[in-house]
Amino acid sequence: MKSLQHKTVLITGASAGIGEATAIAFAEQGARLILTARRKDKLDILAKSLKEKFDAESLCISLDVTRQKEVQKTIDGLPASWSEIDILINNAGLGRGVDKIHEAHIEDWEEMIDTNIKGLLYVSRAVIPGMVKRNSGHVINLGSAAGHEVYPGGNVYCATKHAVDALTKAMRMDLIETLIRVSTVDPGLVETDFGIVRFKGDAEKAKKPYENIKPLVGADIADIIVFIASRPAHVNINEVIVMPKAQASTTMVYRGKA
């Protein structure tokens, strides 16, 4: 197991859900954290908690990954002591709606594409050149089981996660001549605020996918991410697809008694 102590880890979408859980998991390992999200107030609360529990160093930055110039300016403007990013966690992402293509809202498509694909690209493009220069680093993208299987109502969300899968594979090819590793973690049903965002604040609809099952939680995914990051330098875990025991595919979930 490779030590993560004093490694600098940048996490996008760190204010809640998988991103927040991942910050906690890396802090427990002694990593230094660059926490980014649009909601800096939540990042500040998280950073204070991580300092109290693990004496973790954190740099909190309000960042909208959909704004390319803002992303580049943020990375270029990092203090010298934070500028060498060892691990990039491209976690920021969302789903909007479950409408059929011919009934969907165009703005929902644009938000998913801008965040899940373009945001990942903008942050990667800003961070990876530094890794290449140092010939060291690890990029871990948050994909989804939806990047492997399409399901009814998933259309554009599934397309964006298929894109994440393709981009992860492409990154590995583009970086093959370096020591930079590239991985993806692709979860099934994880109970976070994802549903609230997807169903635009409708708590009842948001709870529905998790009824009568024990879903994954953010900490389950964070454990996997830390495991991937802590493998020896010659080991690259390309992809992890993880689901709760009750889920066999994106369209098959058992809600009875085992």
Side-chain angles (χ1 to χ4, degrees):
M1 180 173 176
K2 187 173 76 172
S3 173
L4 298 173
Q5 194 163 20
H6 307 308
K7 295 293 184 184
T8 300
V9 183
L10 189 156
I11 305 171
T12 65
S15 61
I18 293 171
E20 180 182 12
T22 300
I24 293 168
F26 274 105
E28 195 170 6
Q29 296 297 318
R32 305 166 73 239
L33 303 165
I34 303 174
L35 305 174
T36 76
R38 284 181 285 195
R39 299 173 291 183
K40 187 174 181 295
D41 56 330
K42 289 185 174 289
L43 295 178
D44 290 335
I45 293 168
L46 174 59
K48 183 180 178 184
S49 172
L50 298 179
K51 182 67 177 175
E52 291 171 353
K53 290 180 181 177
F54 309 112
D55 196 29
E57 287 184 82
S58 301
L59 177 65
C60 299
I61 301 172
S62 176
L63 180 66
D64 183 345
V65 299
T66 69
R67 300 177 181 273
Q68 188 272 327
K69 289 182 179 178
E70 179 185 332
V71 170
Q72 192 65 55
K73 184 178 178 181
T74 297
I75 300 304
D76 289 346
L78 287 172
S81 60
W82 290 93
S83 62
E84 295 190 357
I85 296 165
D86 298 297
I87 302 167
L88 168 61
I89 311 294
N90 275 315
N91 168 72
L94 52 80
R96 282 288 192 199
V98 289
D99 301 303
K100 295 178 180 180
I101 283 178
H102 57 284
E103 298 170 342
H105 301 281
I106 301 298
E107 59 269 25
D108 290 345
W109 293 356
E110 290 177 340
E111 189 175 10
M112 288 186 281
I113 292 167
D114 286 348
T115 307
N116 300 357
I117 303 175
K118 293 165 72 175
L120 180 148
L121 283 170
Y122 294 157
V123 176
S124 299
R125 181 63 181 84
V127 171
I128 292 175
M131 292 181 171
V132 171
K133 187 176 180 181
R134 297 187 304 276
N135 197 26
S136 176
H138 198 161
V139 179
I140 303 177
N141 295 327
L142 259 293
S144 170
H148 302 272
E149 303 175 79
V150 178
Y151 56 85
N155 47 62
V156 173
Y157 175 72
C158 293
T160 66
K161 290 303 183 177
H162 274 72
V164 171
D165 181 57
L167 289 169
T168 303
K169 291 170 180 171
M171 285 182 189
R172 266 197 302 274
M173 292 177 182
D174 290 343
L175 295 167
I176 192 67
E177 295 176 358
T178 75
L179 297 180
I180 299 163
R181 299 184 291 176
V182 183
S183 308
T184 181
V185 179
D186 302 342
L189 289 168
V190 185
E191 190 166 17
T192 64
D193 61 357
F194 177 88
I196 292 288
V197 173
R198 182 166 218 172
F199 293 105
K200 303 176 182 179
D202 189 323
E204 286 305 308
K205 285 185 178 178
K207 287 190 295 187
K208 203 80 176 158
Y210 313 112
E211 284 183 351
N212 300 318
I213 67 164
K214 185 172 183 178
L216 300 173
V217 294
D220 296 321
I221 310 308
D223 284 345
I224 294 168
I225 291 169
V226 166
F227 178 82
I228 290 170
S230 61
R231 295 309 88 201
H234 71 288
V235 177
N236 191 103
I237 297 179
N238 290 2
E239 169 186 287
V240 174
I241 301 174
V242 56
M243 296 181 181
K245 174 62 186 71
Q247 184 178 15
S249 72
T250 58
T251 57
M252 187 176 182
V253 179
Y254 178 65
R255 302 183 190 277
K257 290 183 178 180

